[in-house]
Amino acid sequence: MLQTKQPITCWGMGLSEDQTVRLRECLGDEAGLVLWEPEAVPGVEDMERDSPCVLWLSSTANRKSAALEPTRTRHLDLIPKVVLLETSYSLRDFEEAGDGADIVRPPLTKKRVRGIMRRALEAQEVHHDIMCMTKEILLERELLERKNKLLGFLVNFLGGTSECSEPSSLLDRALAALRDLFPVRTLHAAMAVAGDETSLRLFIGAASATPEYEQARKLLLTHARDIFGPAADAGQEHTLAVEAAGVAAERTFCLPLSAAGSVEGVLILETPLCGSIGRDQAQALESALGHLALSLKNACALEELRRHADYDALTGMYCRRHLDRRLGEEMDRFKRYGRPFSLVLMDIDHFKRVNDTRGHHAGDRVLREAAEIVRAALRTSDYCARYGGEEFCIILPDTDASGALIQAERLRKAMAGYTFLEDSTPLRLTASFGIASARRTEADAMLLLCEADSAMYQAKNSGRNRCRLLEEPLQDAG
């Protein structure tokens, strides 16, 4: 027989005493024989334990085994079968042995037994080699699938975060991509404001005014102060739109956000994982966070640039460029849905005298105080921008002409009753107001602005400190 390192085992089922004795004589010390009764079919666990190379059966045991449910004996088809015929065998015994089994007629000789064992062991070795190769192929396939999954994660992460320039939306996309890498309940982030590392922008993935929000805020500040110093504190706070997954967080990862070798902030991941993540996952996460840090830094910087571009530096109100965009949006909404809106132009009366007699510093302060008066008088849904010089433009959504006249009159009284430059030489100023209301769907935003401008000059020409509503709409030259 073949030389193997493992002990060789055979199974015998339903063998007579003579068959058992003779079979053991032929096998000698080279193989063991484990006997089974025909009714006690060995299971899969028994096969894994013994690894039998041959199943020797009597004719009776073979017949009984064939009559059993296939589910009970299917695993035995993996073992070479040999049917030992009795001394008085019949043609039926041959027929019932089946095509898949060897048939041995008496007498049972050592040469025949050893020939069968040799073939069985050769087949077992081949089977073992095939199984080893199969396991290696499956392992390689698993590793390849894992690498493909990590590569897919990085592609999705980089693509999703590169397409977004708004910080909160960027973090929401990052969270969705990270959930493809390993389970993440939610995330929080703190970023240092460019040029001022003591001021932090916090992005918290929890509902505001909840214990979870306060806990995440405290944890962010603790780790950010470890990086940027104890003076670091929250400047702006944002609540992330994406909801946390409905699972409890077992672990919290606190990770630095570094870009170009400089730490820009900290990221906190809440995960239901009980153990640690794999090495390849950690490497993919590190690569993703490097990109996230740079993208988030650029998004915050771009948002700050947009803020400066959209706001007037002196008054803090929206600038003319932003006004044109907003006015166009309101006109489109009016044309599509018929929702009314009105426009008010406000001009500070005799403002040039302030600059000429008090200086431009005093004039700038008057404009800032006038902007505060406008903010205090308007509703939260109203919109105001600095139109130019001492003029302010106010958009009143869902407001018709009569409602706009009431709002403008409130603002006129607030301006007339206010004392400017009170801590130096007090000054009283008034303002004139022109009002136009969207009434024609064929009109455009610029025409409406011209109507408000004409109404304002009517107020100026009739004595100033007045509100005027343009009675007759201008004709569109186009």
Side-chain angles (χ1 to χ4, degrees):
M1 283 184 281
L2 294 176
Q3 298 297 319
T4 61
K5 296 181 179 180
Q6 299 295 329
I8 302 172
T9 302
C10 299
W11 277 355
M13 182 177 293
L15 301 179
S16 66
E17 185 175 348
D18 291 340
Q19 288 174 331
T20 303
V21 171
R22 182 57 185 157
L23 184 57
R24 281 182 170 155
E25 288 177 356
C26 294
L27 292 172
D29 296 333
E30 297 182 9
L33 179 64
V34 179
L35 299 178
W36 297 89
E37 294 297 328
E39 294 79 9
V41 179
V44 177
E45 298 82 2
D46 301 311
M47 283 184 61
E48 292 178 352
R49 182 190 66 237
D50 295 341
S51 297
C53 61
V54 179
L55 174 59
W56 304 89
L57 303 100
S58 65
S59 299
T60 304
N62 183 55
R63 192 179 303 115
K64 290 182 177 180
S65 176
L68 295 175
E69 288 290 332
T71 54
R72 293 186 58 189
T73 60
R74 187 177 298 141
H75 57 285
L76 298 179
D77 294 337
L78 299 175
I79 313 171
K81 295 181 182 179
V82 181
V83 179
L84 299 180
L85 300 179
E86 300 288 346
T87 304
S88 55
Y89 60 87
S90 64
L91 181 60
R92 179 186 175 191
D93 293 330
F94 275 97
E95 295 173 349
E96 291 178 345
D99 297 332
D102 285 338
I103 303 174
V104 177
R105 294 177 292 182
L108 188 60
T109 65
K110 183 177 292 188
K111 181 178 179 181
R112 186 69 186 275
V113 169
R114 294 201 169 192
I116 292 172
M117 292 294 295
R118 182 179 296 107
R119 292 194 300 273
L121 288 173
E122 288 174 351
Q124 191 177 54
E125 286 293 324
V126 172
H127 181 264
H128 179 265
D129 291 343
I130 292 174
M131 292 301 297
C132 289
M133 292 174 60
T134 302
K135 288 179 181 179
E136 290 178 2
I137 292 172
L138 291 175
L139 180 59
E140 290 291 334
R141 180 178 177 182
E142 182 180 346
L143 291 174
L144 184 60
E145 289 178 349
R146 188 177 180 91
K147 288 180 180 179
N148 286 339
K149 182 179 179 181
L150 292 176
L151 181 60
F153 156 72
L154 286 173
V155 171
N156 292 335
F157 188 95
L158 298 180
T161 53
S162 297
E163 295 170 357
C164 186
S165 60
E166 198 279 318
S168 294
S169 298
L170 191 152
L171 286 170
D172 291 339
R173 292 191 180 190
L175 175 58
L178 284 170
R179 285 175 174 165
D180 291 334
L181 182 63
F182 63 93
V184 180
R185 181 177 180 270
T186 189
L187 61 74
H188 320 285
M191 290 292 290
V193 175
D196 183 9
E197 292 186 346
T198 62
S199 180
L200 302 171
R201 291 188 67 177
L202 304 186
F203 302 89
I204 301 177
S208 58
T210 61
E212 291 80 9
Y213 186 96
E214 293 302 322
Q215 183 180 2
R217 183 180 187 276
K218 182 179 179 180
L219 192 58
L220 278 173
L221 290 176
T222 299
H223 286 279
R225 285 166 181 163
D226 289 340
I227 298 173
F228 301 110
D233 205 353
Q236 301 180 47
E237 298 185 19
H238 311 269
T239 301
L240 299 180
V242 73
E243 295 183 359
V247 290
E250 298 286 345
R251 298 194 63 193
T252 299
F253 293 117
C254 297
L255 307 166
L257 289 173
S258 301
S262 175
V263 180
E264 305 293 340
V266 63
L267 182 74
I268 294 177
L269 300 178
E270 294 184 10
T271 172
L273 280 177
C274 297
S276 59
I277 63 175
R279 183 178 179 181
D280 51 354
Q281 289 176 306
Q283 290 174 342
L285 179 60
E286 183 179 3
S287 299
L289 293 188
H291 176 79
L292 177 61
L294 184 59
S295 297
L296 193 55
K297 178 183 178 181
N298 292 340
C300 289
L302 181 60
E303 190 176 64
E304 189 67 14
L305 287 175
R306 286 173 177 168
R307 191 181 71 82
H308 286 302
D310 289 341
Y311 288 88
D312 173 59
L314 178 63
T315 63
M317 285 189 168
Y318 288 110
C319 65
R320 174 64 185 271
R321 185 180 68 87
H322 193 276
L323 168 66
D324 291 342
R325 185 166 69 245
R326 176 62 182 271
L327 187 56
E329 292 171 355
E330 288 295 335
M331 183 58 76
D332 290 342
R333 191 176 293 112
F334 167 71
K335 291 179 178 181
R336 180 174 297 181
Y337 304 109
R339 295 175 59 179
F341 80 98
S342 297
L343 197 65
V344 178
L345 274 182
M346 165 186 157
D347 183 271
I348 301 176
D349 297 327
H350 303 297
F351 179 75
K352 186 175 183 298
R353 294 179 186 174
V354 178
N355 284 333
D356 293 343
T357 60
R358 302 288 185 94
H360 287 279
H361 179 73
D364 288 347
R365 183 174 168 187
V366 166
L367 289 174
R368 285 195 294 268
E369 292 183 13
E372 290 301 323
I373 294 171
V374 174
R375 286 193 189 93
L378 295 182
R379 304 165 299 184
T380 55
S381 60
D382 298 335
Y383 171 94
C384 186
R386 186 180 178 189
Y387 188 60
E390 66 275 17
E391 292 181 331
F392 296 89
C393 184
I394 303 163
I395 299 176
L396 303 174
D398 298 314
T399 305
D400 58 14
S402 59
L405 186 60
I406 294 173
Q407 287 288 88
E409 186 64 24
R410 284 178 54 207
L411 188 52
R412 183 195 67 79
K413 292 179 180 179
M415 283 287 295
Y418 183 82
T419 301
F420 291 85
L421 310 178
E422 192 170 13
D423 58 346
S424 56
T425 303
L427 178 66
R428 289 293 186 98
L429 292 171
T430 60
S432 299
F433 297 82
I435 305 163
S437 183
R439 289 170 288 180
R440 297 173 298 156
T441 56
E442 73 276 8
D444 59 22
M446 293 309 299
L447 183 61
L448 187 66
L449 197 57
C450 290
E451 291 181 353
D453 191 59
S454 296
M456 184 187 69
Y457 276 102
Q458 288 180 9
K460 290 275 188 184
N461 295 332
S462 60
R464 293 184 173 84
N465 191 24
R466 285 171 171 77
C467 299
R468 286 290 181 266
L469 175 66
L470 190 69
E471 297 298 335
E472 292 296 329
L474 299 177
Q475 297 299 316
D476 190 346

